[in-house]
Amino acid sequence: MMRIWMAGILAAAMATGAGSARAEDSALKPGALVADQIPAVPLAMVERTRPYMEYRTASFVDWDPKSRAMLVSTRFGDTSQLHRVGTPMGQREQLTFASEPVMSAQYAPDGSSLLFQKDSGGNEVNQIYALASGRPKLLTDGSSRNNLGPWSSSGKLLAFGSNKRTGLYNDIYLMNPAVPDSARMLVASTGGGWVPIDFSPDDKQLLVFNYVSVSDNQLYLIDIKQGTARKITDSSRSIGYAGLTFAPDGRLWAASDDGSDVKRLGIVNLETAQFEVVIDEKVWDIMAFDISPDGRWIAFEVNQAGRSLLEFHDTESGTTHSVDGLPVGVISGMKFSPWGELGLTLNSNQTGTDAYGINPETLAVTRWTRSETGGLDSADNVAPELVEIESFDGEKMSGYLYRPDARRHKGKRPLIINIHGGPEGQTTPRFIGRDNYLVNELGIALFYPNVRGSTGFGKRFVALDNGPWLRENSVLDIGAFLDRLRGDGKIDRKRIAVTGGSYGGYMTLASMLRYGDKLEAGLEIVGISNFVTFLENTQAYRRDLRRVEYGDERDPEQRAKLEAISPLIRASEIDIPLMVVTGANDPRVPASEAEQIVAAVRANGRPAWHLLAENEGHGFRKKANADYQFWASLLFWQKYLLGEAN
C-alpha cells in the first residue's frame, strides 16, 4: 500500500495553520481554532464547497398554546436559535439571539411563559432562562449544571435537575419560574442519573427515574407535598425505558423492555410494577411516544433498523394505523399540541431536516418548514442503502451505505467508514449535511455501521460489548464490515479510510491498529485514546455511569485489561496518517485524550494533524468552526485517501 510519507513529513514541519497556499489565497481561520500541522485551507476549496456549507435545518421544539404557532430551532447566524412559525411554511420569527446554541425549550401549559436552556462553549453546564419581553432572564444560579424537566399540569411548577448541592450528582428541584427564589430540592441523589419525568395529572406526584445504565432505569414516585419517595421498580431487575408519560386518566404508559428483548408499548401498574403490553412490534423497538391531551391518541415511533415508522393507536377503538405520508427517514421530538396536532422533526437525506405536523384523525401530513440547502435540491442527494452482514461470530448486524451516483462517478469508488458514538447510539438513514459534498462531488462512498453495543436492536445486542473483555469484539465487527465492503465490486478496496466521534473516535483508533493494512488513514473526533485516563478525567458525575459500560479502572484486573485495549498503549503501531479534532471544553472526553494520542503518534514520525476549538465541547456546534473542520478534514482526505488517484 502506497504511503505518501514525504508529504506527511513536510506537513509536520510547517508552522501552525501553514500550508502551500499563499496567505491571501487562504480561508480565514476562526480565531478560536488552533490548526496544528494542518495546511491552510485554499479559498478555491471554500468556493467549491460553499453550497454544501449553507444548508439549514429546522427541528420541532414545542407548540405555542396561545397562538397555535410552532416553536422550532434553526440557524440564520452562527448557532441554532429558537424561532416561532405562525403557520405552515410561514415566516420564521427569531426569538433568541444567543452566541451559544439554543435547542431545548418549553412553553408553560397556558403559554404564559417560555423557558429554555443553554450552556457556554460546549461545557454542558446548562442554565435555565425565561424569555421575558424578548430578553433572557436567568432562573438558575449561573454556575451549576441544570436541565429542564416537565411543567406541572397547572403550570405553576417546573421540575428540573441540578448539581448545585454537590457539584457532582443531579438532584431534583421544583420551582415556580415566576419566582426563581422559590426553588426547593425534592430529591437528593447519591449518584447515578436522576431525571424528573412527568407530573401526575392531579400534580400530587412526580415520576422520576434513576438512569443506572441504558438497560437499567429505576422508577420512583415522589409525593410533592410530603417529599417522600416510593420506589416502583425492583432493583434486582434491569429494565430499560424509552418513554414514560401519564395519561389524563392517571395511568402510566411506557415503552419498556420488561419481559422482552425489545421495547413494547404498554401500561405500568403503579402498585405492583407489572407491565401490561398493549403494542408489540415483535423484533423492533418502540423508541418514543406521546399521548394526546384528551387521552384518545398515542403516537409512537417504531425503529426498523434505524428507519422510523410512525403509528397512531386509538385507545377508544383499540386500532392502530401507520402514517404513510412522511418521507422515509428518522423522526424525533414528538409532542401533541393542546388542540391535538402532533409535531415532530423528520430527518432524511433527500428532504433535509424539517418540522412537520400530523392530524391523528386523518393521518394528513403538513410540512411546517422547508429549510434552505444552499441552493441545492436535497432530492438529488443519494438515498442510503441498508447493508446487512454476519460478523465473525455469526452475530447479525447492519449499517447504511451512501453510494455515489454511478452515472456521475465511474469506476470503483473510495470509501470512508464512519462509526457512531455512544456506544449506546445508532446509525440511522439521515441527512448528512456537508458530507453530501464527499458523495455527490468527489464520488466518495460513506458507510455508517451499527456494531454490537448499538441501540435499536434490543437489550441483548446493546450489551454485547459491555466491559473490557468484550470491548474489542465491536472492533472485530468493523473487520467483518470491511471484508464485505472490500468485496463490493463498486468499492475501491485500496482506498478505504475510517472516522468516528466520541466512542467512535476510540473505534477509529482501534480499527487503525487492527486493520491498518486495509486502511489508508483515520480521522477521530473527540475520541477516547486511553480508557483508564478517560475514566479518571471525565467529569465526576459521569464516571460511575461510564464504568458500567467500559469497566472499573479502580479494579486492578479490569484496569490492566482496559490499558491493554487502549490505543494509546499501542500508538507506536499506528502506521497510517491520523487527524484528531478536539473541543477544549469537552466535559465527556477531556481534551487530554487527544493531546496524548497526537503526541504519541508524532513521536513515531507519523503524520498527526490536530484541530482544536477553544470555544467548543463534545463536537463543534458553531457554524464557522464546523465549516473549517470540514475543510481541514477534506484536505486530509484528499491528501491521504484520494492521493494521486484523485
Side-chain angles (χ1 to χ4, degrees):
M1 184 179 298
M2 182 179 295
R3 307 290 185 207
I4 314 174
W5 292 124
M6 182 58 68
I9 293 171
L10 289 174
M14 295 175 185
T16 298
S20 58
R22 294 178 302 170
E24 61 268 26
D25 297 329
S26 302
L28 182 65
K29 178 174 61 64
L33 294 187
V34 178
D36 185 7
Q37 298 191 5
I38 297 175
V41 173
L43 281 175
M45 174 182 287
V46 173
E47 292 308 311
R48 285 197 307 272
T49 60
R50 177 62 65 190
Y52 290 89
M53 304 295 105
E54 299 307 323
Y55 73 91
R56 293 191 179 97
T57 62
S59 299
F60 170 77
V61 177
D62 202 358
W63 294 102
D64 182 346
K66 284 188 172 181
S67 67
R68 293 198 170 198
M70 180 181 280
L71 186 69
V72 302
S73 178
T74 189
R75 179 195 55 75
F76 279 85
D78 199 35
T79 60
S80 294
Q81 299 295 318
L82 298 178
H83 293 69
R84 183 165 46 214
V85 182
T87 59
M89 308 303 291
Q91 178 181 341
R92 288 161 284 187
E93 175 193 358
Q94 188 165 344
L95 301 179
T96 60
F97 298 84
S99 60
E100 301 294 341
V102 180
M103 294 175 284
S104 178
Q106 295 181 53
Y107 278 103
D110 63 358
S112 59
S113 62
L114 174 61
L115 307 185
F116 65 91
Q117 67 180 43
K118 68 180 182 68
D119 69 358
S120 177
N123 63 6
E124 300 185 19
V125 181
N126 290 309
Q127 303 303 318
I128 299 175
Y129 299 80
L131 193 64
S133 301
R135 296 174 180 270
K137 177 185 177 182
L138 182 65
L139 301 183
T140 45
D141 60 13
S143 58
S144 60
R145 188 183 70 253
N146 305 272
N147 290 286
L148 276 170
W151 283 92
S152 63
S153 302
S154 67
K156 295 179 180 179
L157 290 175
L158 175 82
F160 68 100
S162 178
N163 72 341
K164 67 179 182 179
R165 178 178 63 92
T166 64
L168 297 175
Y169 305 120
N170 214 40
D171 298 326
I172 295 175
Y173 289 77
L174 295 178
M175 172 176 60
N176 177 354
V179 187
D181 290 342
S182 67
R184 63 182 177 91
M185 188 172 60
L186 187 65
V187 176
S189 71
T190 57
W194 289 78
V195 181
I197 302 299
D198 198 13
F199 284 88
S200 60
D202 60 8
D203 285 345
K204 292 182 178 180
Q205 298 181 98
L206 177 68
L207 178 72
V208 305
F209 80 37
N210 182 18
Y211 182 97
V212 179
S213 72
V214 68
S215 57
D216 187 0
N217 313 145
Q218 300 297 323
L219 306 183
Y220 296 78
L221 271 178
I222 312 299
D223 184 294
I224 292 174
K225 185 177 182 179
Q226 302 296 329
T228 54
R230 178 170 68 85
K231 191 171 186 181
I232 300 173
T233 49
D234 180 353
S235 296
S236 65
R237 300 179 63 223
S238 295
I239 300 172
Y241 297 92
L244 292 152
T245 303
F246 281 107
D249 62 7
R251 292 188 298 175
L252 178 63
W253 285 78
S256 171
D257 60 18
D258 189 352
S260 170
D261 185 51
V262 298
K263 292 181 175 68
R264 303 173 293 178
L265 185 63
I267 301 166
V268 178
N269 186 307
L270 295 176
E271 300 301 325
T272 66
Q274 294 297 309
F275 183 60
E276 176 190 345
V277 178
V278 177
I279 304 290
D280 186 350
E281 293 291 334
K282 306 303 181 184
V283 299
W284 304 119
D285 273 325
I286 293 176
M287 297 298 288
F289 71 94
D290 195 35
I291 304 174
S292 62
D294 62 4
R296 178 180 176 184
W297 300 102
I298 301 179
F300 61 96
E301 176 208 353
V302 183
N303 183 333
Q304 297 181 336
R307 172 185 176 272
S308 295
L309 174 66
L310 177 63
E311 298 192 79
F312 284 93
H313 177 69
D314 186 340
T315 60
E316 292 183 1
S317 67
T319 58
T320 300
H321 305 280
S322 299
V323 178
D324 299 323
L326 283 171
V328 174
V330 183
I331 63 175
S332 60
M334 294 187 299
K335 184 175 181 179
F336 277 101
S337 68
W339 52 94
E341 184 175 2
L342 181 74
L344 55 82
T345 304
L346 188 285
N347 185 320
S348 166
N349 203 42
Q350 293 188 312
T351 61
T353 302
D354 275 300
Y356 292 75
I358 317 290
N359 183 321
E361 295 272 0
T362 65
L363 304 184
V365 175
T366 302
R367 186 167 185 167
W368 274 72
T369 63
R370 187 179 300 276
S371 297
E372 298 82 354
T373 50
L376 302 171
D377 187 350
S378 57
D380 293 335
N381 294 332
V382 301
E385 59 186 77
L386 183 67
V387 175
E388 298 176 294
I389 68 163
E390 289 189 4
S391 193
F392 68 96
D393 57 355
E395 189 68 38
K396 294 180 180 179
M397 55 195 62
S398 61
Y400 284 95
L401 176 63
Y402 293 72
R403 193 190 294 273
D405 188 340
R407 294 170 297 181
R408 293 188 58 190
H409 302 284
K410 308 297 183 182
K412 297 184 177 182
R413 308 313 308 164
L415 171 72
I416 298 173
I417 299 174
N418 192 322
I419 308 169
H420 70 70
E424 308 100 327
Q426 184 183 23
T427 283
T428 55
R430 61 179 53 245
F431 179 58
I432 57 174
R434 297 170 181 83
D435 286 341
N436 276 308
Y437 178 83
L438 302 178
V439 179
N440 296 345
E441 306 300 332
L442 299 186
I444 299 174
L446 302 179
F447 180 67
Y448 298 80
N450 280 311
V451 298
R452 68 191 65 210
S454 302
T455 53
F457 302 94
K459 62 185 178 185
R460 183 194 66 84
F461 191 82
V462 80
L464 289 178
D465 67 342
N466 286 0
W469 283 275
L470 297 178
R471 181 61 46 203
E472 290 190 303
N473 285 345
S474 58
V475 183
L476 296 178
D477 294 337
I478 295 298
F481 279 118
L482 262 173
D483 290 343
R484 169 66 178 274
L485 295 166
R486 279 164 55 88
D488 186 314
K490 297 180 181 179
I491 298 295
D492 185 348
R493 60 187 293 142
K494 294 182 179 180
R495 292 191 293 169
I496 301 178
V498 64
T499 188
S502 191
Y503 175 74
Y506 154 73
M507 289 287 289
T508 295
L509 295 170
S511 297
M512 293 171 70
L513 283 165
R514 187 174 288 271
Y515 304 112
D517 59 334
K518 299 177 181 178
L519 299 169
E520 291 295 309
L523 193 163
E524 72 102 330
I525 303 167
V526 297
I528 300 167
S529 61
N530 185 317
F531 282 110
V532 171
T533 56
F534 159 71
L535 289 167
E536 290 176 339
N537 296 318
T538 190
Q539 288 292 306
Y541 72 91
R542 304 184 70 254
R543 201 164 289 143
D544 285 341
L545 297 174
R546 293 298 78 199
R547 284 169 176 154
V548 173
E549 172 66 34
Y550 296 125
D552 192 335
E553 84 288 358
R554 298 167 299 182
D555 177 84
E557 186 178 12
Q558 293 190 54
R559 184 185 185 93
K561 183 61 177 177
L562 286 167
E563 288 184 333
I565 64 174
S566 293
L568 182 66
I569 306 303
R570 298 172 53 199
S572 62
E573 300 173 38
I574 293 179
D575 198 37
I576 56 177
L578 170 67
M579 179 174 171
V580 177
V581 177
T582 315
N585 303 322
D586 194 337
R588 304 185 184 205
V589 181
S592 54
E593 290 297 302
E595 294 164 356
Q596 61 192 15
I597 193 66
V598 168
V601 171
R602 287 178 180 173
N604 296 319
R606 301 306 189 219
W609 298 12
H610 188 197
L611 184 65
L612 171 70
E614 296 175 334
N615 62 345
E616 299 278 15
H618 200 61
F620 290 9
R621 304 181 304 174
K622 296 179 173 66
K623 182 181 184 300
N625 293 342
D627 284 351
Y628 202 89
Q629 176 188 341
F630 179 82
W631 293 323
S633 302
L634 184 53
L635 287 172
F636 183 77
W637 296 134
Q638 288 183 330
K639 187 180 189 68
Y640 293 116
L641 175 62
L642 303 182
E644 295 179 354
N646 185 22

